[in-house]
């Protein structure tokens, strides 16, 4: 009887230990998964701001929203990063009537990108030689695509400008393509009139950012915590591209 009781007790302890180990493993896996997503989120946002600053220093043309930010910066005397943050906050307020719900990535987008841009502009000087300006432009576009993949693949919510686009699409019934085009033409023209830089970099960015974003979304795709697979960029890349 004692032997039987000892075996039963030992078996129960073994099962309990195995169950506890399984729970701890799942807990560790979930937290490791969350940590990776958070790292991707903030690394992507910081890289986005830094890559945009490289485009500024190249002087060969900016992304659509940064044409506006630069124009406003020229007129107000505020840094581009501060203008980017203020415009992002203003756009976020437009989410209220559109009934959009921000996520951690949305709020972080407003706070991090502008700070990263100003920090990079503070250490990277203006480029004057074409041999320097062209590589700065190319690096800015490619790194911007990588930043897009990092940030969006983390799945913490869209940026303020992305949410404005999708919100207007849902409320008006107008296609995403048309809404995005109308918004970007408006900000580019307004920014150019205010003194923002439009050039070959603007055109190359418009052509290259879609394929680059699609590529890096797949590179930085985060699998679900359960171990299954996730297709982060299943739809057209235009729906996942950050628009500053």
């Amino acid at each position: 009887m004692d032997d039987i009781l000892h075996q039963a007790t030992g078996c129960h302890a073994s099962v309990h230990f195995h169950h506890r180990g399984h729970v701890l493993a799942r807990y560790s896996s979930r937290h490791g998964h969350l940590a990776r997503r958070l790292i991707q989120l903030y690394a992507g946002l910081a890289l986005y701001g830094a890559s945009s600053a490289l485009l500024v220093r190249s002087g060969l043309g900016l992304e659509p929203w940064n044409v506006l930010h630069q124009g406003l910066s020229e007129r107000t005397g505020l840094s581009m990063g501060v203008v980017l943050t203020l415009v992002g906050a203003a756009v976020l307020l437009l989410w209220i009537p559109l009934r959009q719900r921000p996520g951690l990535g949305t709020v972080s987008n407003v706070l991090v990108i502008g700070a990263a841009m100003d920090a990079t502009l503070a250490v990277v000087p203006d480029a004057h030689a074409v041999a320097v300006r062209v590589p700065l432009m190319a690096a800015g576009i490619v790194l911007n695509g990588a930043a897009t993949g990092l940030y969006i693949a983390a799945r913490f919510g869209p940026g303020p400008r992305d949410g404005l686009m999708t919100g207007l699409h849902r409320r008006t019934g107008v296609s995403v393509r048309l809404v995005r085009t109308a918004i970007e033409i408006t900000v580019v023209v307004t920014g150019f009139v205010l003194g923002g830089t439009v050039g070959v970099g603007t055109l190359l960015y418009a052509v290259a950012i879609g394929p680059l974003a699609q590529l890096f979304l797949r590179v930085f795709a985060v699998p679900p915590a359960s171990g299954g697979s996730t297709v982060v960029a299943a739809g057209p890349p235009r729906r996942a591209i950050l628009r500053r």
Side-chain angles (χ1 to χ4, degrees), residues 4 13 18 44-45 58 63 87 92 100-101 103 122 127 134 151 161-162 181 186 201 205 207 213-214 222 226 228 244:
I4 295 174
H18 176 75
L45 293 176
S58 76
E63 317 97 291
V87 171
L92 191 55
Q100 295 281 88
R101 293 184 179 181
V134 171
Y151 164 71
R161 299 152 187 85
D162 298 307
T181 300
T186 301
Y205 181 89
V207 172
Q214 184 73 23
V222 180
S226 61
R244 294 272 111 30

Side-chain angles (χ1 to χ4, degrees), residues 12-180:
H12 175 74
S14 176
V15 170
H16 176 72
F17 180 79
H18 176 75
H19 175 70
R20 182 180 179 186
H22 181 65
V23 171
L24 289 174
R26 289 180 60 189
Y27 179 84
S28 176
S29 175
R30 285 198 302 269
H31 279 69
H33 181 260
L34 178 61
R36 172 181 169 175
R37 291 174 61 208
L38 287 170
I39 291 171
Q40 281 201 199
L41 170 65
Y42 291 107
L45 293 176
L47 182 59
Y48 202 103
S51 61
S52 293
L54 296 183
L55 287 170
V56 173
R57 290 303 188 220
S58 76
L60 295 175
L62 303 176
E63 317 97 291
W65 278 93
N66 272 335
V67 176
L68 175 62
H69 299 150
Q70 188 180 51
L72 289 172
S73 176
E74 293 288 334
R75 297 289 180 169
T76 63
L78 298 173
S79 70
M80 276 193 69
V82 170
V83 170
L84 188 152
T85 300
L86 293 176
V87 171
V91 171
L92 191 55
L93 290 176
L94 296 176
W95 281 33
I96 297 174
L98 295 175
R99 298 179 182 178
Q100 295 281 88
R101 293 184 179 181
L104 174 64
T106 310
V107 177
S108 298
N109 183 296
V110 174
L111 300 175
V112 175
I113 294 180
M117 174 184 279
D118 277 349
T120 306
L121 289 173
V123 297
V124 178
D126 285 322
H128 301 288
V130 175
V132 177
R133 296 170 69 189
V134 171
L136 278 178
M137 177 191 68
I141 293 173
V142 173
L143 291 176
N144 200 277
T148 299
L150 279 166
Y151 164 71
I152 294 177
R155 304 193 310 275
F156 278 108
R161 299 152 187 85
D162 298 307
L164 175 64
M165 176 183 67
T166 56
L168 287 172
H169 160 65
R170 281 199 295 267
R171 297 287 285 181
T172 65
V174 178
S175 70
V176 171
R177 181 191 299 273
L178 184 57
V179 170
R180 191 191 76 179

